[in-house]
Amino acid sequence: DAGVIQSPRHEVTEMGQEVTLRCKPISGHNSLFWYRQTMMRGLELLIYFNNNVPIDDSGMPEDRFSAKMPNASFSTLKIQPSEPRDSAVYFCASSLKWPSNQPQHFGDGTRLSIL
Amino acid sequence: AQSVTQPDIHITVSEGASLELRCNYSYGATPYLFWYVQSPGQGLQLLLKYFSGDTLVQGIKGFEAEFKRSQSSFNLRKPSVHWSDAAEYFCAAITGTASKLTFGTGTRLQVTL
């Protein structure tokens, strides 16, 4: 079975450039999450969607970050302009239903380096 | 405040030895509890979950966890560790009214041959 698919796996770009991360959730899952993982702060929830609608974006660090989910099978996380402190691993996860006892299933992440 | 604590940052065990990773939670009600494993360069993989019923939960890769309400704990165990179990392990929890899955800070497991 296909899991959560993220692209690209690695991204290296210069400060000030726009970065777009992509995610395809597991088919049939109604909830999608974007996380950021760093050594200093661990795993942080940035935003989550239910049925393509953003429910909680309180973790989005600032206006430079935006996320969209135009349909049930695709989501993007965009950073514009990017800064070196945005360097991290970004994970997308999906769940059948949230909040619930249904687990979140994670993609392999995008390792982002901003020079 | 709701929280998940993993007291051990780093644990080293010999291959074939038993393993127990600790997880404590602080919630008003019994939360839904999860254990995830993260291998280097990969995402988090679900090992097991608990939300009600039998307090001893079996998971994948030979792992199990026991929920103890009196101790607010959900410790992960494996009777015999394999070198491939070396990874980082995260305990996580959520209550029915919250929207955020709260993760512990993780325990890095090293396995010596």
Side-chain angles (χ1 to χ4, degrees):
Chain A
D1 292 340
V4 175
I5 299 172
Q6 292 187 244
S7 64
R9 288 297 314 275
H10 303 274
E11 175 88 15
V12 181
T13 192
E14 293 189 345
M15 181 175 65
Q17 297 298 305
E18 177 180 291
V19 173
T20 299
L21 311 182
R22 298 172 175 81
C23 175
K24 177 178 170 56
I26 294 172
S27 177
H29 282 194
N30 296 317
S31 302
L32 182 139
F33 311 81
W34 282 101
Y35 286 88
R36 178 171 66 178
Q37 186 179 39
T38 61
M39 289 291 292
M40 292 298 294
R41 300 171 69 90
L43 269 165
E44 303 174 275
L45 176 67
L46 300 177
I47 185 171
Y48 93 94
F49 297 82
N50 270 350
N51 298 313
N52 313 336
V53 176
I55 302 300
D56 184 349
D57 65 355
S58 59
M60 295 286 264
E62 47 197 279
D63 292 345
R64 298 185 296 106
F65 286 69
S66 63
K68 293 182 180 179
M69 192 164 186
N71 57 63
S73 59
F74 183 67
S75 176
T76 60
L77 178 68
K78 188 172 293 187
I79 308 173
Q80 168 62 21
S82 58
E83 296 183 3
R85 61 192 168 118
D86 302 331
S87 297
V89 182
Y90 291 81
F91 288 103
C92 177
S94 70
S95 176
L96 199 59
K97 177 184 174 185
W98 197 261
S100 74
N101 57 22
Q102 295 297 317
Q104 296 181 15
H105 298 267
F106 285 74
D108 284 337
T110 295
R111 183 172 295 277
L112 178 63
S113 297
I114 308 297
L115 306 177
Chain B
Q2 299 171 336
S3 66
V4 175
T5 302
Q6 293 181 247
D8 304 306
I9 296 173
H10 186 211
I11 284 183
T12 301
V13 300
S14 300
E15 188 174 39
S18 63
L19 171 70
E20 182 168 27
L21 302 182
R22 296 184 290 165
C23 172
N24 293 98
Y25 62 89
S26 175
Y27 282 79
T30 298
Y32 303 137
L33 294 158
F34 307 88
W35 273 101
Y36 286 87
V37 60
Q38 185 179 26
S39 297
Q42 296 189 9
L44 280 71
Q45 180 184 20
L46 179 71
L47 287 175
L48 46 79
K49 65 178 183 178
Y50 171 80
F51 54 92
S52 68
D54 193 345
T55 56
L56 186 62
V57 180
Q58 301 298 318
I60 63 171
K61 303 186 179 188
F63 286 92
E64 66 179 25
E66 186 172 13
F67 170 70
K68 292 186 177 180
R69 186 190 306 274
S70 61
Q71 298 178 18
S72 297
S73 69
F74 187 56
N75 294 349
L76 183 71
R77 302 194 296 244
K78 187 169 185 178
S80 178
V81 170
H82 188 262
W83 64 266
S84 60
D85 293 324
E88 186 139 22
Y89 291 79
F90 293 92
C91 182
I94 184 174
T95 61
T97 56
S99 62
K100 290 186 179 180
L101 185 60
T102 300
F103 286 89
T105 50
T107 297
R108 182 166 297 278
L109 174 65
Q110 183 176 357
V111 180
T112 58
L113 300 177

